[in-house]
Amino acid sequence: MDVQRYDPDVPHRSRRTGWRVLAVATVCALAATACGSSQPSASGGSDEADGLTTVRMVQEWPVADGFWIPWVVAQKQGFYRKAGIDLKIIPPPNTAATTQYIGTGRADLAFATSMDIVFARSQGAPMVSIARYGTGNNWGLISSPDKPLDFASVKGKTIGTYNDAWSKAQLQIMLDSQGLKLSDVHLVTASSDTVPLLLQKKVDAITGVTNAEGSSLASQGVDDYAMTLAKDHGVPNSPVWVLAANSKWLSGHQDTAQKFMDATIEGLKYAIAHPEEAVDTFLTTYPKAQTREFTTLQWEATSALFGKDVTANSLKQSDADWESLLKAANDYELAKKTDAPSAHFTNELLESK
């Protein structure tokens, strides 16, 4: 397989997507890293401050992005404080650290991916999904409108992607549907952003999702890009993003977790009903994260995944959500072992509404 590495020097990045392997070898080193005001108490639980319960939520990416809008808005509107929660939003030092923070008890909750849950649990980490974030799999291969990729003729093409296990696995599954292997294409690995690779015509296509790389392209004037969706070529159509918890923390903080989920749903509803205000809130909180146009388009595309009438049912999961994902993990040897689908998620925090 011909793999090149590319690290573009751009003022903002689009949004890397894909899933990360739980790097167990680095857990001990990470556990010794300082985490500022989000440091866990000696007991591993959440600290009490000003009558509020501190809840630590680690994110999927070191730099803020529009996917965070529901909890950023809920925090700004005071929904968490009203629920008795002091939410600490923690950007991880790197993309592999999300599951590490959960696995070592340095965070109580996480914004992660469904495959993060699979990888974590396969390594014995106490991680469980508590809500889905959107529906289905909107990942795929994105190409320029002036030179759309003919997936039937993908052999020999150059593809910009990210250096994580699930991005390559999805591409592997897609190629398998054409009787091809990863060695039949040339991969250019971007450390933070595949979009410049496509804009600079360094690749024939890039990997990404509609509401990240797609939104980034649209914000730069390329709104008619071509996309080959992975779900149409053998990849599981399971939700990409989830809210997750350290299952040990969850078992001892059920009431706090319930209040967090209720407040988060309030934030999601508010952000969908007031999109401009939601974008303003995000950019005021994280002014250097990404451009306004990109954030606006990203939130528009993301909120469309939920629809206007959001309820707790909109975030519920099912065995079916996980079955095809776990089958792929087993078939392509992405995880050493997998539990039953029901072991990967709980809907308990979504039952009261």
Side-chain angles (χ1 to χ4, degrees):
M1 177 171 56
D2 182 10
V3 180
Q4 302 173 14
R5 186 169 297 279
Y6 180 79
D7 189 4
D9 181 15
V10 292
H12 67 84
R13 46 89 182 158
S14 68
R15 255 298 284 112
R16 173 187 179 275
T17 189
W19 286 283
R20 302 165 294 279
V21 176
L22 178 64
V24 174
T26 65
V27 167
C28 292
L30 180 62
T33 304
C35 190
S37 62
S38 300
Q39 193 78 293
S41 65
S43 63
S46 299
D47 298 322
E48 299 289 332
D50 300 325
L52 301 176
T53 299
T54 299
V55 175
R56 302 157 299 163
M57 183 185 183
V58 67
Q59 304 302 303
E60 92 294 10
W61 190 254
V63 180
D65 60 59
F67 290 147
W68 304 8
I69 282 178
W71 37 99
V72 172
V73 167
Q75 190 175 53
K76 175 67 173 180
Q77 293 298 318
F79 297 152
Y80 293 122
R81 179 167 289 272
K82 183 179 178 181
I85 293 173
D86 177 22
L87 183 69
K88 302 295 185 183
I89 298 175
I90 308 171
N94 57 68
T95 56
T98 301
T99 47
Q100 294 168 9
Y101 267 53
I102 287 289
T104 58
R106 294 181 58 76
D108 311 309
L109 301 170
F111 176 52
T113 68
S114 52
M115 203 59 198
D116 278 331
I117 308 295
V118 175
F119 287 143
R121 293 190 65 85
S122 75
Q123 299 287 352
M127 191 173 186
V128 63
S129 176
I130 59 174
R132 68 182 184 182
Y133 187 89
T135 57
N137 188 340
N138 59 341
W139 184 96
L141 294 178
I142 300 173
S143 51
S144 299
D146 58 342
K147 192 177 180 181
L149 177 70
D150 177 8
F151 189 64
S153 304
V154 70
K155 185 175 181 178
K157 299 297 184 181
T158 301
I159 298 173
T161 189
Y162 301 104
N163 192 28
D164 64 276
W166 189 233
S167 287
K168 288 185 178 179
Q170 291 188 100
L171 184 55
Q172 180 183 350
I173 297 170
M174 288 184 72
L175 292 172
D176 186 58
S177 72
Q178 299 294 316
L180 302 175
K181 300 178 180 179
L182 284 173
S183 57
D184 290 316
V185 297
H186 305 292
L187 298 182
V188 177
T189 304
S191 63
S192 62
D193 189 355
T194 57
V195 169
L197 288 170
L198 189 65
L199 293 178
Q200 295 169 19
K201 302 185 185 304
K202 295 180 179 292
V203 296
D204 297 300
I206 59 173
T207 63
V209 291
T210 57
N211 54 338
E213 285 77 10
S215 296
S216 178
L217 283 167
S219 73
Q220 298 178 68
V222 186
D223 55 5
D224 54 348
Y225 59 85
M227 187 162 191
T228 304
L229 289 169
K231 66 180 182 180
D232 296 333
H233 295 277
V235 176
N237 189 26
S238 302
V240 175
W241 306 105
V242 298
L243 298 180
N246 178 301
S247 53
K248 293 181 179 179
W249 174 87
L250 182 61
S251 65
H253 299 82
Q254 191 76 17
D255 183 60
T256 298
Q258 180 71 70
K259 291 177 179 178
F260 164 83
M261 200 67 251
D262 291 346
T264 300
I265 292 173
E266 281 193 76
L268 175 59
K269 289 180 178 179
Y270 192 95
I272 290 174
H274 307 86
E276 291 185 13
E277 183 181 345
V279 169
D280 286 342
T281 296
F282 173 78
L283 293 176
T284 298
T285 306
Y286 301 103
K288 297 181 180 181
Q290 50 191 43
T291 67
R292 175 175 293 276
E293 186 172 7
F294 174 25
T295 305
T296 299
L297 290 170
Q298 185 180 23
W299 181 239
E300 180 181 302
T302 300
S303 59
L305 299 177
F306 295 96
K308 293 182 178 180
D309 300 321
V310 178
T311 68
N313 285 329
S314 306
L315 283 70
K316 283 187 176 180
Q317 302 166 88
S318 67
D319 283 351
D321 289 334
W322 291 89
E323 285 171 352
S324 59
L325 186 64
L326 292 168
K327 184 179 184 303
N330 288 320
D331 290 349
Y332 289 87
E333 300 181 346
L334 304 177
K336 293 181 179 179
K337 62 177 182 178
T338 57
D339 298 323
S342 59
H344 293 78
F345 73 95
T346 177
N347 285 324
E348 290 183 5
L349 305 182
L350 302 171
E351 299 294 348
S352 67
K353 282 181 168 278

Coordinates of all heavy atoms in Angstrom, one line a residue, residues 143-148 198 201 222 224-226:
S143 N -15.4 13.8 -3.6 CA -14.6 14.2 -4.7 C -15.1 15.5 -5.3 O -16.2 16.0 -5.0 CB -14.6 13.1 -5.8 OG -15.9 12.7 -6.2
S144 N -14.3 16.1 -6.1 CA -14.6 17.4 -6.7 C -15.7 17.3 -7.7 O -15.8 16.3 -8.5 CB -13.4 18.0 -7.4 OG -12.3 18.2 -6.4
P145 N -16.6 18.4 -7.9 CA -17.6 18.3 -8.8 C -17.1 18.3 -10.3 O -17.8 17.8 -11.2 CB -18.4 19.6 -8.5 CG -17.4 20.5 -7.8 CD -16.6 19.6 -7.0
D146 N -15.9 18.9 -10.5 CA -15.4 18.9 -11.9 C -14.7 17.6 -12.2 O -14.4 17.4 -13.4 CB -14.4 20.1 -12.0 CG -13.3 20.0 -11.1 OD1 -13.4 19.3 -10.0 OD2 -12.2 20.7 -11.3
K147 N -14.5 16.7 -11.2 CA -13.9 15.4 -11.5 C -14.4 14.4 -10.5 O -13.7 13.9 -9.6 CB -12.4 15.5 -11.4 CG -11.7 14.3 -11.9 CD -10.1 14.5 -11.9 CE -9.4 13.3 -12.4 NZ -7.9 13.4 -12.3
P148 N -15.7 14.1 -10.6 CA -16.3 13.2 -9.6 C -15.7 11.8 -9.7 O -15.4 11.3 -10.8 CB -17.8 13.2 -10.0 CG -17.8 13.6 -11.4 CD -16.7 14.6 -11.6
L198 N -8.0 17.9 -1.3 CA -8.9 17.9 -2.4 C -8.9 19.2 -3.2 O -8.9 19.3 -4.4 CB -10.3 17.6 -1.9 CG -11.4 17.3 -3.0 CD1 -11.0 16.0 -3.8 CD2 -12.8 17.1 -2.4
K201 N -6.0 19.7 -5.3 CA -6.0 18.7 -6.4 C -4.8 17.7 -6.2 O -4.2 17.2 -7.1 CB -5.9 19.3 -7.8 CG -7.1 20.2 -8.0 CD -7.1 20.7 -9.5 CE -8.2 21.8 -9.7 NZ -9.6 21.2 -9.4
V222 N -17.5 25.2 -2.5 CA -17.7 23.9 -3.2 C -18.9 23.2 -2.6 O -18.7 22.3 -1.7 CB -16.4 23.0 -3.1 CG1 -16.6 21.8 -4.0 CG2 -15.2 23.8 -3.5
D224 N -21.3 21.7 -4.4 CA -21.8 20.6 -5.3 C -20.8 19.5 -5.4 O -20.7 18.8 -6.5 CB -22.1 21.2 -6.7 CG -20.9 21.9 -7.3 OD1 -19.9 22.2 -6.6 OD2 -21.0 22.2 -8.5
Y225 N -20.1 19.2 -4.3 CA -19.1 18.1 -4.4 C -19.9 16.8 -4.6 O -21.1 16.6 -4.3 CB -18.4 18.0 -3.0 CG -19.2 17.9 -1.8 CD1 -19.6 16.6 -1.4 CD2 -19.6 19.0 -1.1 CE1 -20.4 16.5 -0.2 CE2 -20.4 18.8 0.1 CZ -20.8 17.6 0.5 OH -21.6 17.4 1.6
A226 N -19.1 15.8 -5.1 CA -19.7 14.5 -5.3 C -19.3 13.6 -4.1 O -18.3 13.7 -3.5 CB -19.1 13.9 -6.6

